[in-house]
Amino acid sequence: MSENQTVMPRALLVPVKGILLPDHIAKDLDAVSAFCPHPSDILIAAFPKSGSTWTAEIVDQLLHNGDVESCRRAPITVRTAFLEASNRLRTKSGLHQLKEMAPPRVIKTHLPIQMVPVGFWEKKCKTIYVARNAKDTVVSFYHFHHMNLASPEPGPWESFVHKFMHGELAWGYWHDHVKGFWEEQEKRDILYLFYEDMKENPRREVERIMKYLDLSLSDDDIGHIVELTTFKNMKENPMTNFSFFPPEIYNQSISKFMRKGEVGDWKNHFTPEQSAAFDEDYEKKMKQANIPFKTEL
Ligand code: A3P
């Protein structure tokens, strides 16, 4: 960052219907709730740091037949809209951006299911949810808080994990987020993906997304998409690695947006005691839901 660049004040969290949200997002939430999508719009929902950028890139690629040029035509934040984004971090808010895009639009949200604008369900928009195991999510979120200078202060790792367990980070409880979409997946025809499955067998998961979107691409085109959306290629692609994002907001000298892209990095962060306490709390909150998360491959 150069000396004359202004420092972005960190966001405060405010409760909205029991969910903590960054203040600049909370203030426009009524307008977001009233958003009326087109039936062809595609919603990608996820708790932060669960692989939403990866999924958005795959969906955009599928809509463009895996053409190399298409994924380099504009930054991922321009090709796909972040529904509840305010114009504090971007030149345009998500709603502003959506007005200028033609359907079918790829729309990302971190909102929990009860806050997703009702129009998405009324219009029966295709909805993809991507979930990532809690331990890798909290690690990724922690590093993200360090590099995203507009996010709330992360504080020490120990207290960050505590906040994650108690729904005190932005977008509330991870547990309720993943359960909310899991329980509604059949009723609302949601495609529920796991980050770990995408790592384990990306081709299988790209094909699942393709079929869910009623698309039919050739084997070669599917192969191109799998290749273009590997962690390595997305990290090198200036249209997906957030090098286009202002460094006074995302300071990638602290931590890269495309940081590690692995399953099991939590083992490098949790002490055995932290891991045991986390597991005990997890068991209480997640036992009934029985969602098949993997914490290693
Ligand atoms: P890490 O911090 O663990 O590396 P989101 O896009 O929802 O904010 O999620 C970001 C996380 O997804 C980061 O995790 C990022 O590296 C990872 N990610 C992004 N693209 C990926 C890809 N193609 N393959 C694997 N992981 C990817």
Side-chain angles (χ1 to χ4, degrees):
M1 202 188 329
S2 69
E3 274 178 20
N4 54 8
Q5 276 173 327
T6 49
V7 177
M8 171 78 40
R10 285 184 172 268
L12 296 173
L13 295 180
V14 294
V16 181
K17 297 178 187 154
I19 308 291
L20 288 177
L21 293 175
D23 47 2
H24 55 96
I25 287 183
K27 77 176 174 34
D28 291 334
L29 210 66
D30 286 346
V32 169
S33 303
F35 173 71
C36 193
H38 185 269
S40 65
D41 288 337
I42 298 163
L43 183 67
I44 297 172
F47 189 85
K49 312 320 289 174
S50 303
S52 57
T53 311
W54 186 10
T55 309
E57 183 64 21
I58 291 171
V59 170
D60 183 60
Q61 287 299 311
L62 283 165
L63 295 175
H64 291 88
N65 296 313
D67 168 41
V68 179
E69 291 312 311
S70 78
C71 71
R72 295 192 179 258
R73 74 189 186 281
I76 185 70
T77 51
V78 172
R79 287 179 281 138
T80 63
F82 180 13
L83 177 63
E84 64 267 28
S86 70
N87 61 0
R88 178 170 175 254
L89 306 190
R90 296 156 195 252
T91 46
K92 291 174 190 167
S93 69
L95 291 179
H96 183 164
Q97 190 184 343
L98 281 160
K99 275 193 195 136
E100 296 174 350
M101 292 167 78
R105 298 165 293 188
V106 180
I107 306 173
K108 164 184 132 169
T109 186
H110 290 321
L111 293 173
I113 194 160
Q114 70 276 18
M115 285 186 167
V116 169
V118 67
F120 283 100
W121 314 120
E122 288 172 354
K123 297 279 168 65
K124 300 197 181 321
C125 294
K126 297 278 186 188
T127 302
I128 300 171
Y129 187 77
V130 56
R132 185 181 194 182
N133 81 72
K135 283 175 163 171
D136 283 329
T137 301
V138 66
V139 167
S140 181
F141 211 12
Y142 179 67
H143 288 286
F144 183 66
H145 274 66
H146 281 275
M147 66 82 81
N148 176 2
L149 304 179
S151 63
E153 279 291 347
W157 164 244
E158 177 86 32
S159 73
F160 192 85
V161 177
H162 185 272
K163 286 184 201 159
F164 181 90
M165 285 158 62
H166 295 90
E168 292 166 9
L169 297 175
W171 285 277
Y173 277 102
W174 170 91
H175 317 74
D176 292 343
H177 208 287
V178 297
K179 281 193 281 190
F181 284 88
W182 178 257
E183 285 158 7
E184 289 291 313
Q185 59 179 310
E186 277 165 30
K187 195 171 140 208
R188 303 193 199 208
D189 189 27
I190 297 165
L191 178 69
Y192 202 101
L193 303 174
F194 292 98
Y195 179 98
E196 295 76 23
D197 289 347
M198 291 165 69
K199 283 293 292 185
E200 188 180 61
N201 192 337
R203 188 174 182 111
R204 180 189 63 208
E205 299 307 301
V206 169
E207 287 180 359
R208 281 185 70 208
I209 300 171
M210 177 185 79
K211 285 181 191 140
Y212 174 72
L213 296 178
D214 300 322
L215 297 169
S216 175
L217 279 74
S218 69
D219 282 353
D220 278 0
D221 287 344
I222 296 169
H224 286 144
I225 293 173
V226 172
E227 185 55 26
L228 289 168
T229 57
T230 60
F231 178 76
K232 183 173 174 293
N233 283 336
M234 282 185 60
K235 190 179 170 86
E236 283 167 10
N237 180 353
M239 295 300 156
T240 51
N241 65 12
F242 281 78
S243 54
F244 53 82
F245 217 68
E248 63 273 22
I249 304 177
Y250 283 6
N251 185 337
Q252 301 214 40
S253 65
I254 296 175
S255 178
K256 299 282 183 213
F257 183 88
M258 294 286 161
R259 192 184 60 89
K260 267 199 170 171
E262 288 175 2
V263 179
D265 188 36
W266 63 270
K267 292 177 192 169
N268 299 315
H269 293 77
F270 281 73
T271 64
E273 295 74 27
Q274 280 169 348
S275 183
F278 191 93
D279 290 349
E280 195 185 327
D281 175 75
Y282 184 94
E283 184 69 7
K284 280 187 212 138
K285 295 188 171 106
M286 299 298 292
K287 194 169 181 218
Q288 298 292 333
N290 214 8
I291 310 179
F293 279 106
K294 293 179 192 147
T295 49
E296 56 194 326
L297 288 180

